Amino acid sequence: APSWPGACASHPSHDRIFHAPSLQVPGSTSIRQQGASLKTIESIQDLAPMLGQEPILSDWFTITQEQINQFAQATDDHQWIHVDPERAAQGPFGAPIAHGYLTLSISNLFLPEIVEVQGFSAGVNYGTDKVRFPSPVKVGSRIRGGAELTAVTEVKGGLQTTIVITIEIEGSAKPACVIESISRWLTD
């Protein structure tokens, strides 16, 4: 049986696993209340108390037309709702909007503001279980990421974490993006 605080029974496909009591729509990698210091993770013992805690929030980040244009160039997605400000002003959103995948990719900008991981040889993206885009991000909007650790699993060669990252838009009731992100933290 797992020997650390908060552990539950073994999972069929993993050595040991933690689960938060519920999966809520705020989230990311670690837990730093706004204005608090960066959370440092060095071992599985550092992660157990973080499960299911209130999300830690990053700083605000402003989406610009230049960023949207650069993303359009990199992905060859030049749809007018993203890159034509005049036409987009008359469109369904009243302004150009960021690509959903641009918003998703910015989650990687927020995570280092929330958590510092030490004591592992590498950290890699393992994938996502679910990604949703409930609300568009208009040019000039300020967004930030919140992170909630929902599961920690020991796997061969390290740890696997599931973090719900919620990217919120300043002044909006709906988030821009909700990501169930899976990462691997390697020890060898």
Side-chain angles (χ1 to χ4, degrees):
S3 60
W4 50 85
C8 63
S10 292
H11 187 277
S13 63
H14 302 100
D15 297 334
R16 299 179 188 156
I17 191 166
F18 289 110
H19 279 293
S22 65
L23 189 72
Q24 303 202 341
V25 174
S28 175
T29 301
S30 195
I31 299 208
R32 163 183 86 124
Q33 297 303 332
Q34 187 133 20
S37 61
L38 184 71
K39 178 69 179 173
T40 301
I41 297 171
E42 296 182 29
S43 70
I44 194 166
Q45 288 77 21
D46 294 335
L47 292 168
M50 296 168 58
L51 284 166
Q53 296 295 310
E54 289 293 316
I56 299 172
L57 301 173
S58 71
D59 293 329
W60 290 103
F61 178 81
T62 302
I63 296 293
T64 68
Q65 186 64 57
E66 180 181 0
Q67 293 158 341
I68 292 170
N69 293 345
Q70 289 174 346
F71 191 83
Q73 196 65 24
T75 61
D76 201 25
D77 180 353
H78 299 279
Q79 189 175 173
W80 64 268
I81 61 172
H82 305 304
V83 299
D84 186 341
E86 290 176 16
R87 186 172 176 197
Q90 305 306 312
F93 306 110
I97 61 169
H99 303 73
Y101 286 108
L102 170 58
T103 305
L104 171 66
S105 68
I106 291 173
S107 66
N108 284 333
L109 173 75
F110 296 138
L111 294 180
E113 294 181 14
I114 295 169
V115 65
E116 179 181 1
V117 179
Q118 299 177 354
F120 296 92
S121 61
V124 295
N125 293 322
Y126 193 69
T128 59
D129 277 342
K130 186 176 179 181
V131 176
R132 295 290 181 267
F133 303 103
S135 187
V137 178
K138 295 178 183 180
V139 168
S141 295
R142 288 179 8 126
I143 61 174
R144 69 178 173 188
E148 181 184 2
L149 180 67
T150 59
V152 178
T153 307
E154 286 190 59
V155 294
K156 184 176 180 174
L159 299 176
Q160 179 171 297
T161 58
T162 301
I163 299 161
V164 176
I165 304 167
T166 301
I167 299 178
E168 62 182 55
I169 306 165
E170 187 174 40
S172 176
K174 285 182 166 182
C177 186
V178 181
I179 309 146
E180 292 177 21
S181 176
I182 303 168
S183 298
R184 290 269 171 112
W185 306 96
L186 308 177
T187 55
D188 46 31

